[in-house]
Amino acid sequence: MKLINLNAECGVFYEPLMEFIKKHSADTEIFCFQEVFNNPKIVSPILKNPRLNLFSEIQEILADFNSFHVPADQGYFGGLAIFINKSFTVNKIENFILFEELNIIDDEKDKNYFAMGRNLQKLEFNHDGKIFTILNFHGMWIVEGKRDTKMRILQSEKVRKIFDKSKGAKILCGDLNIERDTESMAILDKGNRNLIKEYDINSTRSSFAEKSDVVDYIVVSPKVEVIDFKILQNEVSDHLPLFLEFN
């Protein structure tokens, strides 16, 4: 099986993004996206030319896929989306809000935390008699940077708890907004394979980004057999796509 993870940056590079998805739809069974709008009621004013119906536009290309979307931050910065080929049996799809108390847009109160509740999207499916769970996540963005904070450590603890309670071979992917050598990342790494570290990836950013750093990750449990992992050099967002082939 093949999986691609990408922060789609709300589709601001729309044409190359859609061409990329169409090209890979023939041989990729699972797509996990962050920052995907689905007709939101509220949009961050700092976004430039976002595609407000990006989810339905991707659905048109991925017609042979079951699709699931959850709005994050009341839609402020888009949401999470998983597309999985219809040949797979989906057992369960869930959405977790990690910080319910923050899940209200308040520009003054939350100006240092473009985070709000932080959603985690979880999909469980069967393939060849084996259970897999995909956890699609977009971690909190904090003005001070991507180092440890009490909130970020607590966030990782909440994600890890959901990860550990999930069934089968587990894959956590997304734009985590965490540096590699932090306690926040170590919480997620422990007992698992952090493929960004294992493959010594130094950047998951495209040339459209303001700086080159690692913010996107794929972390897998021991039951996942990794066949191939790499960063795809396709400039379709300020992030680069992550590619995983696995059993």
Side-chain angles (χ1 to χ4, degrees):
M1 289 174 286
K2 296 177 182 178
L3 177 151
I4 287 177
N5 176 85
L6 174 67
N7 182 324
E9 200 187 357
C10 303
V12 296
F13 300 101
Y14 178 71
E15 291 185 2
L17 172 64
M18 301 308 271
E19 290 175 5
F20 169 81
I21 295 171
K22 184 176 182 179
K23 174 184 176 182
H24 287 276
S25 64
D27 62 356
T28 301
E29 290 87 0
I30 305 167
F31 291 87
C32 294
F33 297 110
Q34 303 85 48
E35 292 192 16
V36 173
F37 279 119
N38 186 21
N39 192 26
K41 294 181 180 180
I42 183 171
V43 176
S44 170
I46 73 171
L47 295 174
K48 298 179 180 179
N49 302 315
R51 302 291 297 197
L52 299 185
N53 295 300
L54 183 59
F55 180 65
S56 59
E57 290 170 325
I58 296 175
Q59 280 182 313
E60 292 181 9
I61 294 176
L62 300 179
D64 294 330
F65 289 66
N66 287 314
S67 54
F68 306 93
H69 181 274
V70 292
D73 312 337
Q74 297 181 349
Y76 208 55
F77 281 96
L80 304 172
I82 297 178
F83 293 79
I84 183 167
N85 193 280
K86 290 180 179 178
S87 63
F88 294 166
T89 300
V90 175
N91 299 334
K92 184 186 297 185
I93 180 75
E94 294 181 275
N95 174 43
F96 299 86
I97 299 176
L98 301 187
F99 297 99
E100 190 75 43
E101 68 276 12
L102 297 180
N103 207 36
I104 298 174
I105 296 300
D106 184 335
D107 286 335
E108 183 59 31
K109 176 183 175 182
D110 299 307
K111 61 186 178 181
N112 293 324
Y113 283 82
F114 290 161
M116 310 307 148
R118 289 294 85 183
N119 296 63
L120 185 147
Q121 187 180 31
K122 173 180 165 181
L123 183 144
E124 179 189 307
F125 69 96
N126 279 18
H127 181 65
D128 286 345
K130 184 176 179 179
I131 296 176
F132 294 86
T133 298
I134 307 293
L135 297 99
N136 182 24
F137 185 54
H138 191 184
M140 61 172 61
W141 186 94
I142 301 173
V143 169
E144 289 84 354
K146 297 176 173 62
R147 303 298 298 174
D148 286 324
T149 67
K150 290 182 179 179
M151 286 287 289
R152 191 168 268 147
I153 290 171
L154 179 58
Q155 175 184 253
S156 289
E157 290 172 346
K158 287 174 177 279
V159 171
R160 184 60 195 253
K161 186 175 181 179
I162 296 168
F163 185 97
D164 288 344
K165 288 186 175 181
S166 300
K167 294 181 180 180
K170 295 169 280 195
I171 299 171
L172 169 65
C173 61
D175 172 7
L176 304 190
N177 278 318
I178 303 173
E179 291 188 15
R180 296 196 311 179
D181 60 339
T182 57
E183 181 181 347
S184 304
M185 201 65 229
I187 290 168
L188 302 174
D189 288 353
K190 187 176 180 181
N192 295 317
R193 295 176 64 183
N194 181 336
L195 300 183
I196 290 293
K197 287 185 177 179
E198 187 173 318
Y199 284 74
D200 196 25
I201 303 299
N202 295 314
S203 176
T204 61
R205 293 289 202 170
S206 75
S207 64
F208 300 134
E210 294 181 358
K211 62 180 181 178
S212 177
D213 58 356
V214 171
V215 291
D216 308 277
Y217 293 84
I218 291 182
V219 177
V220 303
S221 69
K223 290 184 179 180
V224 177
E225 178 190 354
V226 176
I227 299 171
D228 190 17
F229 173 75
K230 57 190 172 185
I231 307 299
L232 303 179
Q233 301 301 313
N234 297 86
E235 303 261 319
V236 296
S237 163
D238 59 346
H239 297 250
L240 291 172
L242 278 57
F243 170 87
L244 172 66
E245 185 174 0
F246 67 100
N247 283 321

